[in-house]
């Protein structure tokens, strides 16, 4: 009996010693999303859209990439609503910011489709959205690397990503449409030979029953014309789950695949995102091991011939100086 107890105690001690080894794989942020949300500041392009943004902590004369996030339908109901649901504030965390190679951080911009009465994104809003992005770039001209401007969005926001990147192909280095409701034409896709595209779809998407076949068709078309096959990717989900591996009860739950992107393709457990398969333009299957996920891929995408079409006035520069000073003051209050 004593031997049995001794063996049992040894097993318990061994388990307690090994537990920390397993727990270190978990994707636990050092700062909660509620706090990270407060790190996003409010802004507005005069006459166009309002937005929230995050500015990285400045280091010397470093220029930083810009990541743009477009919310889904009805998530622009009121100011800052575009931060609800999506966990996009994860990208402001020290853990995620450090994953941006060659910079150690990135600007994050989330415009809101407040001009549209349905709080939605449509092709007719491209000019307004582009003007808002141009404005934000102009007031941060000395701090944003215009060869590394990225855009992503979910659902109608994913549709808007297609509209924007096909209309302004020389502006973006990479684009990530997620569960897009829009199918770009062959003519539009022909503009994307020098743009990296990563598409996300779900086999059982309620809104787009052919979402994966549609995404696969787009993927095949882009493969034919791209000059950067390693920068082209398609991720298809067989099921949609939250990063915690719990299922949503909503009838349209298979449409909710944005969590994989805002969690950098990792479950909260730290493992590669479940029920997904990813291939690139070379036909190679991609696997992910933390911390090398979406952000690591983005960091490799540049557009050295970027045409930003941004004019910076003296007023923009004055405003930028004021913004730089206020950002430094606000950074003192970050946890």
């Amino acid at each position: 009996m004593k031997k049995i107890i001794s063996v049992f105690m040894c097993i318990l001690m061994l388990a307690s010693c090994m537990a920390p080894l397993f727990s270190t794989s978990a994707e636990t942020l050092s700062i909660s999303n509620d706090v990270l949300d407060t790190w996003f500041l409010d802004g507005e392009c005069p006459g166009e859209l309002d937005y929230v943004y995050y500015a990285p902590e400045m280091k010397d004369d470093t220029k930083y990439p810009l990541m743009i996030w477009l919310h889904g339908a009805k998530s622009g109901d009121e100011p800052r609503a575009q931060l609800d649901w999506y966990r996009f504030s994860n990208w402001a965390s020290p853990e995620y910011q450090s994953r941006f190679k060659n910079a150690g951080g990135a600007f994050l911009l989330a415009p809101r489709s407040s001009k549209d009465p349905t709080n939605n994104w449509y092709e007719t809003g491209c000019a307004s959205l582009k003007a808002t992005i141009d404005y934000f770039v102009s007031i941060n001209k000395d701090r944003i690397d215009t060869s590394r401007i990225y855009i992503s969005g979910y659902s109608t926001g994913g549709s808007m990503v297609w509209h924007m990147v096909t209309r302004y192909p020389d502006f973006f280095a990479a684009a990530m449409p997620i569960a897009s409701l829009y199918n770009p034409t062959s003519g539009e896709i022909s503009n994307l030979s020098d743009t990296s595209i990563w598409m996300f779809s779900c086999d059982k998407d309620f809104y787009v029953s052919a979402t994966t076949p549609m995404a696969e068709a787009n993927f095949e078309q882009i493969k034919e014309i791209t000059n950067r096959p390693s920068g082209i990717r398609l991720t298809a989900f067989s099921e949609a789950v939250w990063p915690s591996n719990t299922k949503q009860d909503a009838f349209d739950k298979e449409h909710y695949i944005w969590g994989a992107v805002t969690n950098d393709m990792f479950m909260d457990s730290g493992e590669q995102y479940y029920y997904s398969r990813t291939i690139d333009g070379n036909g190679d299957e991609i696997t992910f091991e933390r911390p090398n996920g979406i952000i690591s891929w983005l960091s490799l995408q540049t557009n050295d011939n970027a045409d930003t079409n941004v004019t910076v006035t003296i007023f923009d520069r004055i405003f930028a100086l004021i913004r730089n000073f206020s950002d430094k003051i606000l950074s003192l209050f970050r946890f």
Side-chain angles (χ1 to χ4, degrees), residues 108-177:
L108 308 175
L109 175 66
R112 185 173 70 95
S113 59
S114 55
K115 286 287 183 181
D116 192 293
T118 62
N119 299 293
N120 216 334
W121 296 109
Y122 293 105
E123 184 179 9
T124 52
C126 284
S128 181
L129 177 57
K130 180 63 161 57
T132 301
I133 296 171
D134 284 347
Y135 175 76
F136 184 78
V137 171
S138 73
I139 61 176
N140 295 284
K141 182 71 173 179
D142 297 329
R143 300 156 62 185
I144 290 177
D145 181 351
T146 54
S147 72
R148 292 190 291 167
I149 296 179
Y150 313 125
I151 187 168
S152 183
Y154 161 70
S155 192
T156 58
S159 300
M160 196 64 169
V161 168
W162 279 122
H163 292 312
M164 292 295 289
V165 75
T166 55
R167 180 171 294 200
Y168 310 105
D170 295 328
F171 187 82
F172 302 101
M176 298 188 297

Side-chain angles (χ1 to χ4, degrees), residues 280-302:
D280 68 9
N282 294 310
D284 296 327
E285 184 170 348
I286 306 299
T287 57
F288 305 95
E289 185 174 346
R290 193 165 59 93
N292 295 314
I294 290 172
I295 297 176
S296 295
W297 173 84
L298 277 179
S299 296
L300 299 175
Q301 315 310 317
T302 61

